[in-house]
Amino acid sequence: MSDNLEEKVNSTIDQDDAGEDVYSGASTGEEEFSPDMMAQMYDETFRNAKEGSVIRGRVLKVTKDHVVVDIGFKSEGVVQSQEFMADGEFKIKVGDEVDVMIEQVEDSDGQIVLSKEKADRIRVWEDISKAYEENRNVEGVVLSRIKGGLSVDIGIRAFLPGSQVDIHPVRNLEKFIGKKLQMKIIKMNQKRGNIVLSRRVLLEEERKSLKVDTLKNLEDGKVIKGIVKNLTEYGAFIDLGGIDGLLHITDMSWGRVHHPSEIFSLGDDVEVVVLKFDRDNERVSLGYKQKTQDPWSKAEQKYPVGSRVKGKVVSLTDYGAFVELEEGLEGLVHVSEMSWTQKIRNPSKVVSPGDMIEAMVLNIDVKNKRISLGMKQAESNPWDFIVDKYPLGARISGTVRNLTDFGAFIGLEEGIDGLVHISDISWTRRIKHPSEILKKGETVEAIVLHVDKEKERLSLGIKQLVPDPWTDIAEKFRTDSVITGRVIKITDFGVFVELENGIEGLIHISEVDLDPHAKIENILAINSDVKAAVVKIDAEERKIGLSIKKYLEGLEEDDLKAYMSSHEATKPTMGDIMDGQPSSETESGESPDAPANP
């Protein structure tokens, strides 16, 4: 027996001697206690001190290794000091009262071995069991994310399944770590040390009570607060307090919304407007954009026709680009209104989504919510200055950009092309296609013939670079005069003869040979020289008619006889009498294609 314990026992004995008959058989006289009596009293001190029981004691002494606790049974117990350690410090002092569990009634030193940690666990289990039986809430701190849910400290570790965290599915359980939560115990097994919690049960109970109040206050047009419960392709479900409302995607913003997640996230606190409440079916339609004014209500005053505006390209189509001027208000720049000079086939060649552009309001239709915009109108029109820059008769230089059946387009500057019609390429040459004269990419000179600012057309001419040889043709080639030319084309209806400077004359087949049965190929040859008389001149139509017959009629009698004699003897060709030699093409009977009679 320890000295302290002996003192407590002696103290008790002294009290008994004072006249208090405590034990059975004790004397009120002055007789001394026997050893048997003292042993009996010692056993009495441990009558209620059973191993595993939890009792309350008072700290008597704190040492490095032990904490001495008076548990009130005329005896003292010891607790390992480390059980009172927290954050590297003793969280206990002399005089503090603590709950401890009796682990061993008496060790080899005669001391009672106590445990604070085990007592705490027993007390916690007792409190938890009582809360479970009474269906009371418990409070805990979320410690960590574990498989299937969360680990929660409610005095001891308990499990909160993911499905019981909230009424709505929770994707990010980590956001609850460190938070204090109110929960209920839905299952426990003390032997296995298992406790299952639910926060959802509490929320559902709250939701039921909230629903009654919410239904009372709901009415069309009222602004109400809620929490985003779920997101779908077509909208968001908002928890209004015991009842859910649908916020359709078209009622989220006056502008474009491709998916509700662009505006909301799960768990967001939102303020919405009740658009329609069906009390019988408990259905609520909500609006978010209705909290602000429709931007189209003042669009006509804010964006009058002719005003310059800035906006962001939000989408492209084959026919143009949609530009957001402000949230909920977009205008269309048609592909034809993007450039003064370029022919835009696809708007992606000019702008991209996200680009900030400047444009001019061309038209506004508030009723149908349409605004027509023009990008090119926000810039100066180069065709307004084209007359000053390229006056009529000006000599210009440019690059052949394109060739067509009807002419050639000559690039003068970026976006400005002039057309050289096929009829303005040559004064004299008959051209079937511009490629006979011009090549794409080559640099050429031309004369400005006409400018149409309204239709944005510029006409050019190449042949106008030199004088028109037909202007004085009547003076050069008078009727009945004899000319010498070169055969350049033979056709079924006659022979084309080049005279000078590309001017051509036609010897009709009826004016070629006196012999009606002779073939023209046997009379004339390509590139051979021929003499003929001018029988017709039409400068306006650019035609000269020639005749070999007429020429022969003008010969002297001797020359004509010589020709006839020679013609009859050898059947020479007309080239013989014209001092020309037949070519291999004539002898072979081949002839190139020739254009139609001019």
Side-chain angles (χ1 to χ4, degrees):
M1 183 182 297
S2 66
D3 295 338
N4 193 32
L5 186 58
E6 289 180 4
E7 291 177 2
K8 290 182 178 292
V9 173
N10 291 333
S11 175
T12 303
I13 291 173
D14 290 340
Q15 292 176 8
D16 293 342
D17 287 345
E20 195 171 338
D21 189 6
V22 179
Y23 298 98
S24 174
S27 172
T28 58
E30 296 181 355
E31 58 183 350
E32 295 183 358
F33 288 97
S34 65
D36 291 339
M37 292 178 64
M38 293 188 69
Q40 181 181 358
M41 292 180 66
Y42 177 77
D43 291 339
E44 189 70 22
T45 63
F46 296 100
R47 178 174 299 170
N48 296 321
K50 296 180 181 180
E51 292 184 2
S53 61
V54 177
I55 57 178
R56 195 161 185 81
R58 183 169 56 87
V59 176
L60 299 177
K61 185 177 181 182
V62 178
T63 68
K64 181 180 179 181
D65 299 321
H66 298 91
V67 174
V68 181
V69 181
D70 179 6
I71 59 174
F73 289 102
K74 299 182 178 138
S75 59
E76 300 168 355
V78 293
V79 183
Q80 296 290 327
S81 297
Q82 63 183 14
E83 294 190 26
F84 294 95
M85 290 286 288
D87 300 327
E89 296 181 0
F90 285 112
K91 299 295 183 180
I92 195 71
K93 63 181 183 295
V94 175
D96 287 350
E97 291 187 351
V98 295
D99 288 333
V100 291
M101 188 195 81
I102 301 174
E103 286 193 283
Q104 189 175 350
V105 174
E106 186 176 5
D107 63 5
S108 58
D109 296 327
Q111 294 178 318
I112 300 176
V113 180
L114 306 174
S115 173
K116 174 184 176 299
E117 291 180 349
K118 292 182 179 179
D120 288 344
R121 286 198 292 269
I122 290 174
R123 289 296 189 203
V124 169
W125 273 106
E126 289 176 353
D127 292 342
I128 290 173
S129 297
K130 192 172 182 181
Y132 177 58
E133 292 171 358
E134 296 176 359
N135 196 31
R136 286 190 287 106
N137 298 350
V138 294
E139 185 179 77
V141 178
V142 178
L143 300 176
S144 62
R145 167 77 187 270
I146 59 176
K147 183 178 181 180
L150 298 170
S151 176
V152 183
D153 181 8
I154 59 171
I156 57 176
R157 283 182 178 264
F159 177 57
L160 175 59
S163 61
Q164 298 298 317
V165 174
D166 206 329
I167 296 175
H168 322 303
V170 180
R171 296 179 181 178
N172 182 22
L173 291 175
E174 282 80 3
K175 68 180 181 180
F176 289 94
I177 295 175
K179 290 187 177 182
K180 283 186 178 182
L181 303 178
Q182 290 289 324
M183 297 158 288
K184 279 194 174 182
I185 302 168
I186 57 175
K187 185 178 181 181
M188 66 177 292
N189 188 321
Q190 187 170 353
K191 291 182 179 180
R192 295 183 179 181
N194 294 336
I195 298 176
V196 181
L197 305 172
S198 174
R199 179 171 173 260
R200 178 174 179 171
V201 172
L202 286 179
L203 297 176
E204 288 178 341
E205 291 176 356
E206 293 176 2
R207 184 177 174 84
K208 289 179 182 178
S209 61
L210 286 172
K211 183 177 180 179
V212 176
D213 295 333
T214 302
L215 291 175
K216 289 180 181 178
N217 297 324
L218 278 180
E219 58 183 28
D220 293 355
K222 187 171 184 178
V223 177
I224 190 170
K225 292 182 178 180
I227 300 173
V228 178
K229 177 180 179 180
N230 192 22
L231 298 176
T232 67
E233 294 289 337
Y234 55 85
F237 287 95
I238 311 298
D239 185 353
L240 304 175
I243 185 172
D244 293 342
L246 174 62
L247 174 58
H248 197 270
I249 191 171
T250 57
D251 290 310
M252 291 182 176
S253 172
W254 293 110
R256 290 172 177 256
V257 181
H258 297 95
H259 193 275
S261 60
E262 296 175 12
I263 301 178
F264 303 108
S265 299
L266 290 177
D268 283 352
D269 293 323
V270 295
E271 192 174 60
V272 290
V273 178
V274 178
L275 301 181
K276 186 178 180 181
F277 175 40
D278 183 347
R279 191 173 296 276
D280 294 335
N281 296 308
E282 295 185 356
R283 292 180 180 176
V284 187
S285 297
L286 304 173
Y288 186 75
K289 70 180 184 182
Q290 286 79 3
K291 294 194 302 175
T292 59
Q293 188 178 29
D294 184 352
W296 283 96
S297 61
K298 295 184 177 180
E300 201 164 12
Q301 294 78 22
K302 196 171 182 179
Y303 304 101
V305 174
S307 61
R308 297 171 73 94
V309 295
K310 291 183 178 180
K312 182 175 71 173
V313 178
V314 291
S315 66
L316 300 178
T317 66
D318 292 339
Y319 52 85
F322 285 94
V323 179
E324 184 182 58
L325 304 181
E326 62 179 80
E327 183 179 346
L329 202 150
E330 297 177 4
L332 171 66
V333 180
H334 193 269
V335 69
S336 63
E337 304 296 344
M338 290 186 169
S339 175
W340 289 111
T341 57
Q342 301 180 48
K343 292 184 178 179
I344 310 299
R345 295 184 178 179
N346 193 307
S348 61
K349 301 294 182 180
V350 181
V351 294
S352 300
D355 287 353
M356 294 297 297
I357 66 165
E358 189 172 357
M360 183 174 288
V361 178
L362 305 181
N363 186 38
I364 184 166
D365 183 351
V366 175
K367 183 179 180 181
N368 294 307
K369 295 186 176 182
R370 293 176 181 175
I371 295 180
S372 297
L373 302 174
M375 289 174 58
K376 68 183 184 182
Q377 287 80 2
E379 302 174 352
S380 59
N381 184 357
W383 286 94
D384 291 338
F385 313 100
I386 207 73
V387 175
D388 298 331
K389 197 168 184 180
Y390 302 104
L392 295 181
R395 192 184 187 104
I396 58 90
S397 178
T399 303
V400 178
R401 289 189 177 176
N402 194 22
L403 298 174
T404 68
D405 292 339
F406 54 84
F409 286 95
I410 310 299
L412 306 183
E413 59 182 72
E414 183 62 33
I416 302 294
D417 289 347
L419 173 64
V420 178
H421 194 269
I422 193 170
S423 62
D424 288 312
I425 294 178
S426 174
W427 289 113
T428 58
R429 185 170 175 179
R430 290 171 174 79
I431 302 170
K432 291 184 177 180
H433 194 276
S435 59
E436 297 175 16
I437 304 294
L438 303 172
K439 292 182 179 179
K440 191 174 181 179
E442 74 171 317
T443 301
V444 298
E445 289 187 335
I447 299 295
V448 177
L449 303 181
H450 181 67
V451 177
D452 188 339
K453 186 179 71 172
E454 299 300 324
K455 295 183 179 180
E456 297 182 357
R457 293 176 181 175
L458 185 64
S459 298
L460 304 175
I462 293 178
K463 71 182 185 182
Q464 287 79 5
L465 292 169
V466 296
D468 184 358
W470 286 90
T471 55
D472 58 352
I473 198 70
E475 297 178 4
K476 289 185 177 181
F477 305 101
R478 295 180 180 179
T479 304
D480 296 332
S481 63
V482 177
I483 58 90
T484 300
R486 182 173 59 89
V487 176
I488 56 174
K489 294 177 184 176
I490 299 175
T491 68
D492 293 339
F493 56 83
V495 178
F496 285 98
V497 178
E498 183 180 30
L499 305 180
E500 62 176 46
N501 297 327
I503 294 178
E504 298 176 4
L506 173 64
I507 305 174
H508 193 268
I509 191 170
S510 63
E511 300 294 332
V512 173
D513 188 61
L514 296 176
D515 184 357
H517 301 291
K519 291 184 178 180
I520 195 169
E521 300 91 61
N522 296 330
I523 299 174
L524 297 174
I526 296 296
N527 291 326
S528 64
D529 290 336
V530 63
K531 287 185 178 182
V534 178
V535 294
K536 182 181 179 181
I537 296 177
D538 189 339
E540 187 176 347
E541 294 292 330
R542 298 179 183 271
K543 294 180 180 180
I544 297 179
L546 303 176
S547 173
I548 296 176
K549 284 183 178 182
K550 187 72 173 177
Y551 162 69
L552 294 177
E553 289 175 359
L555 289 179
E556 295 293 334
E557 186 176 351
D558 292 341
D559 292 334
L560 180 58
K561 287 181 179 180
Y563 162 72
M564 297 299 293
S565 175
S566 174
H567 182 68
E568 290 176 358
T570 60
K571 297 188 180 296
T573 66
M574 288 301 297
D576 293 335
I577 64 170
M578 297 302 155
D579 298 326
Q581 297 298 321
S583 67
S584 59
E585 291 180 327
T586 303
E587 293 174 350
S588 63
E590 296 179 357
S591 62
D593 293 335
N597 187 15

